[in-house]
């Protein structure tokens, strides 16, 4: 008696679980984080905050976690472009290192060309003075880390 009635309920439970997971993924933004490798520790803190259920910052991280093992710029660009395409917004971590990075500038340009929203984010309350030509020439909004969740939430898809 108990075995036959639990079968269909299990399938229903799995379907319900799948639907809830899909809803959760849809409720979060898919974010590509553009940063210089020298800023990896700070960016990992940002990633960790997004995973903390007590944090208002929620997103699915589509950025590159490990550098691509290649000397071929075309291969690296292809792989990064795929990640950007899977995202709805690119968040640029602003620092002196990222300002000097040719890859960060390229990722900003690539994101804009793909029609993605782009935001600059910085730690603390004072925007870095480092020059980002792609940020300034495209009038990209830059916010402190503490305002990132609120700013992402206001973006239209």
């Amino acid at each position: 008696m108990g075995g036959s009635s639990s079968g269909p309920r299990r399938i229903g439970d799995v379907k319900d679980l799948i639907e809830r997971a899909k809803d959760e993924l849809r409720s979060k933004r898919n974010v590509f984080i553009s940063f210089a490798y020298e800023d990896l520790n700070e960016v990992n803190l940002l990633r960790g905050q997004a995973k903390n259920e007590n944090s208002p910052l929620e997103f699915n991280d589509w950025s590159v976690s490990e550098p691509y093992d290649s000397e071929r710029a075309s291969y690296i660009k292809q792989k990064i472009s795929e990640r950007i395409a899977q995202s709805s917004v690119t968040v640029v971590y602003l620092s002196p290192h990222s300002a000097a990075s040719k890859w960060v500038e390229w990722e900003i340009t690539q994101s804009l060309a793909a029609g993605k929203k782009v935001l600059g984010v910085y730690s603390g309350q004072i925007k870095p003075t480092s020059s980002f030509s792609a940020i300034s020439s495209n009038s990209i909004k830059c916010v402190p880390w503490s305002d990132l969740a609120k700013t992402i939430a206001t973006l239209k898809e």
Side-chain angles (χ1 to χ4, degrees):
M1 188 155 76
S4 63
S5 66
S6 66
R9 191 173 7 194
R10 278 186 163 203
I11 292 171
D13 289 347
V14 171
K15 286 181 182 177
D16 182 53
L17 183 60
I18 290 169
E19 286 307 310
R20 283 191 286 153
K22 285 180 182 178
D23 287 343
E24 178 70 17
L25 286 173
R26 281 190 288 268
S27 71
K28 293 182 182 181
R29 287 317 243 323
N30 292 329
V31 173
F32 177 84
I33 305 172
S34 178
F35 64 96
Y37 187 74
E38 294 85 355
D39 295 323
L40 182 61
N41 289 336
E42 290 87 357
V43 170
N44 281 340
L45 288 173
L46 181 64
R47 289 172 169 152
Q49 186 179 2
K51 291 179 183 178
N52 180 344
E53 62 187 46
N54 295 323
S55 170
L57 185 60
E58 292 185 320
F59 60 78
N60 299 309
D61 183 8
W62 286 98
S63 56
V64 178
S65 298
E66 297 291 326
Y68 288 109
D69 187 21
S70 176
E71 296 295 319
R72 297 179 325 179
S74 61
Y75 173 78
I76 295 169
K77 286 180 177 181
Q78 174 196 345
K79 292 299 182 185
I80 292 172
S81 293
E82 290 170 6
R83 295 295 184 110
I84 290 170
Q86 295 169 329
S87 303
S88 59
V89 62
T90 294
V91 171
V92 182
Y93 184 74
L94 304 175
S95 75
H97 298 295
S98 57
S101 170
K102 66 179 182 174
W103 286 106
V104 170
E105 286 283 327
W106 180 85
E107 290 165 349
I108 294 168
T109 304
Q110 184 68 25
S111 296
L112 292 169
K116 306 301 177 176
K117 305 287 184 195
V118 179
L119 287 171
V121 66
Y122 50 91
S123 60
Q125 293 300 314
I126 300 170
K127 183 179 173 185
T129 57
S130 304
S131 175
F132 288 83
S133 62
I135 296 278
S136 58
S137 65
N138 292 290
S139 302
I140 294 171
K141 184 173 186 167
C142 299
V143 298
W145 186 323
S146 58
D147 291 346
L148 184 59
K150 176 176 55 176
T151 306
I152 288 176
T154 64
L155 293 177
K156 303 216 184 315
E157 288 282 340

